[in-house]
């Protein structure tokens, strides 16, 4: 589906009625995942991400019992404004990238949501290096997956391979975005031309190899999907650029806490006064 077709589906499907009757006011709602990255296919899932506002009672009582609202059946994740801001200030890749989507990816943006997007540079600091690098390390671990071919069906084995390849794709994507933020203080969640083609090759398994390993408890042999040597060379190129960007970045050590806190304070004040 195209992005417009996805939007039409969301607007007409009863699966998403919970958004139309959402108990909190929404700051912004956007497509995430493959539709945001430009790596979607006809079979791609629809990922929705958004930020919602606490109400007057929650603000005054400092009630933060529900910081993240997840609807697994529709792959929807909604963050409270406070939780979302905290994650962005820490340099979290999955929350920061939502502020750099293409305009057509947003399904709804309130005045507060637009203010958040326009002031996205207040979150930028050297913390990006540490947060993005942590994600790269975690994704590299996910790119190595073992399986027992005598137990799993062919479809199950293909699913294991798909997860390994997808992790490799995200390794490169996250490093690329982190490099852009450290070098230029901006990024594009959507991947264009050459990078997009490289990501699709990674996702489709061109850089995935398999090998035999011995099981830990027995002599039974297992199979393992691993990144190929070509992926190792690709990784080195992107990681060196990422590391050099960190060494030469002009970003401050900390995000702009004055702007962040002022944004939260004025937003909460507007909510309490009934101005939102």
């Amino acid at each position: 589906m195209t992005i417009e077709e996805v939007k039409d589906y969301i607007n007409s499907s009863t699966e998403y009625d919970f958004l139309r009757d959402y108990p909190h006011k929404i700051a912004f709602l956007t497509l995430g995942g493959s539709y945001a990255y430009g790596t979607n296919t006809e079979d791609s899932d629809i990922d929705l991400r958004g930020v919602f506002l606490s109400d007057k009672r929650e603000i005054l009582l400092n009630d933060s019992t529900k910081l993240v609202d997840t609807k697994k059946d529709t792959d929807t994740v909604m963050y409270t404004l406070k939780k979302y801001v905290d994650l962005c200030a820490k340099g979290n890749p999955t929350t920061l990238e939502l502020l750099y989507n293409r305009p057509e990816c947003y399904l709804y943006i309130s005045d507060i949501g637009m203010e958040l997007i326009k002031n996205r540079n207040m979150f930028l600091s050297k913390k990006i290096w540490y947060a993005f690098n942590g994600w790269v390390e975690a994704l590299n671990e996910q790119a190595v997956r073992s399986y027992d071919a005598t137990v799993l069906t062919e479809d199950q084995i293909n699913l294991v391979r798909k997860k390994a390849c997808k992790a490799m794709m995200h390794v490169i994507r996250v490093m690329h975005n982190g490099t852009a933020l450290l070098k230029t203080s901006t990024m594009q969640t959507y991947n264009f031309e050459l990078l997009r083609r490289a990501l699709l090759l990674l996702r489709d398994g061109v850089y995935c190899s398999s090998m035999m390993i011995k099981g830990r408890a027995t002599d039974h042999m297992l199979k393992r999907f691993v990144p190929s040597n070509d992926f190792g060379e690709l990784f080195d190129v992107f990681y060196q650029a990422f590391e050099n960007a960190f060494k030469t970045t002009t970003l401050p050590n900390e995000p702009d806490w004055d702007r962040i806190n002022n944004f939260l304070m004025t937003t909460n004040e507007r909510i309490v006064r009934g101005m939102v």
Side-chain angles (χ1 to χ4, degrees):
M1 289 190 288
T2 66
I3 285 183
E4 288 307 314
E5 289 172 337
V6 169
K7 287 182 176 180
D8 289 341
Y9 175 75
I10 292 170
N11 288 329
S12 62
S13 173
T14 56
E15 289 180 272
Y16 297 95
D17 281 347
F18 71 93
L19 288 172
R20 287 178 273 278
D21 300 320
Y22 204 68
H24 289 81
K25 293 183 178 179
I26 295 175
F28 72 77
L29 184 67
T30 183
L31 293 172
S34 60
Y35 281 99
Y37 308 146
T39 57
N40 56 293
T41 66
E42 285 298 317
D43 300 323
S44 292
D45 295 330
I46 299 173
D47 299 290
L48 281 181
R49 300 292 181 264
V51 176
F52 65 91
L53 306 177
S54 298
D55 58 30
K56 176 179 177 179
R57 182 180 185 278
E58 291 166 336
I59 292 171
L60 292 177
L61 295 179
N62 195 27
D63 181 2
S64 56
T65 54
K66 196 168 190 179
L67 298 175
V68 182
D69 186 13
T70 303
K71 308 290 186 185
K72 292 185 178 180
D73 54 335
T74 57
D75 289 321
T76 301
V77 180
M78 303 289 290
Y79 303 89
T80 62
L81 180 63
K82 180 65 167 64
K83 179 65 175 178
Y84 182 79
V85 166
D86 285 345
L87 289 171
C88 286
K90 292 175 181 176
N92 183 282
T94 61
T95 54
L96 273 177
E97 67 186 17
L98 303 180
L99 299 175
Y100 295 87
N101 277 346
R102 291 173 294 166
E104 56 264 40
C105 284
Y106 294 99
L107 283 80
Y108 173 76
I109 308 176
S110 70
D111 290 343
I112 291 174
M114 183 58 69
E115 188 177 347
L116 186 61
I117 293 169
K118 286 182 176 179
N119 288 281
R120 60 196 179 190
N121 65 339
M122 65 186 174
F123 299 117
L124 303 185
S125 74
K126 291 178 181 176
K127 289 180 181 289
I128 287 169
W129 159 259
Y130 301 101
F132 277 60
N133 198 43
W135 275 79
V136 168
E137 291 176 358
L139 287 166
N140 263 330
E141 292 179 4
Q142 295 175 32
V144 178
R145 292 181 177 266
S146 302
Y147 65 97
D148 188 339
T150 64
V151 176
L152 299 184
T153 65
E154 184 175 347
D155 286 344
Q156 289 172 325
I157 292 172
N158 287 336
L159 181 60
V160 174
R161 183 175 183 272
K162 182 179 179 180
K163 289 180 178 179
C165 296
K166 192 173 181 180
M168 283 187 275
M169 179 189 74
H170 287 306
V171 165
I172 300 302
R173 185 185 63 78
V174 169
M175 284 194 293
H176 173 75
N177 290 344
T179 300
L181 286 173
L182 290 167
K183 285 183 67 174
T184 68
S185 297
T186 191
M187 59 169 270
Q188 293 176 323
T189 302
Y190 184 82
N191 299 284
F192 293 91
E193 301 302 331
L194 289 176
L195 179 62
R196 181 175 179 271
R197 289 202 290 270
L199 293 178
L200 292 175
L201 289 173
L202 285 160
R203 185 201 62 193
D204 294 341
V206 173
Y207 291 88
C208 186
S209 299
S210 61
M211 61 184 295
M212 300 291 292
I213 61 170
K214 185 179 291 187
R216 291 183 179 180
T218 66
D219 290 335
H220 183 62
M221 298 300 291
L222 302 176
K223 289 187 176 181
R224 172 179 287 174
F225 288 121
V226 296
S228 67
N229 290 335
D230 288 338
F231 175 80
E233 294 177 5
L234 185 67
F235 176 88
D236 289 343
V237 170
F238 276 83
Y239 193 82
Q240 184 176 15
F242 184 35
E243 195 171 40
N244 288 340
F246 172 61
K247 291 177 180 178
T248 59
T249 187
T250 58
L251 291 180
N253 292 327
E254 293 286 332
D256 193 335
W257 287 111
D258 286 341
R259 287 174 63 196
I260 292 170
N261 289 331
N262 187 64
F263 169 76
L264 286 174
M265 181 178 67
T266 55
T267 299
N268 286 341
E269 183 179 9
R270 289 166 63 189
I271 293 171
V272 170
R273 289 178 177 271
M275 299 167 63
V276 176

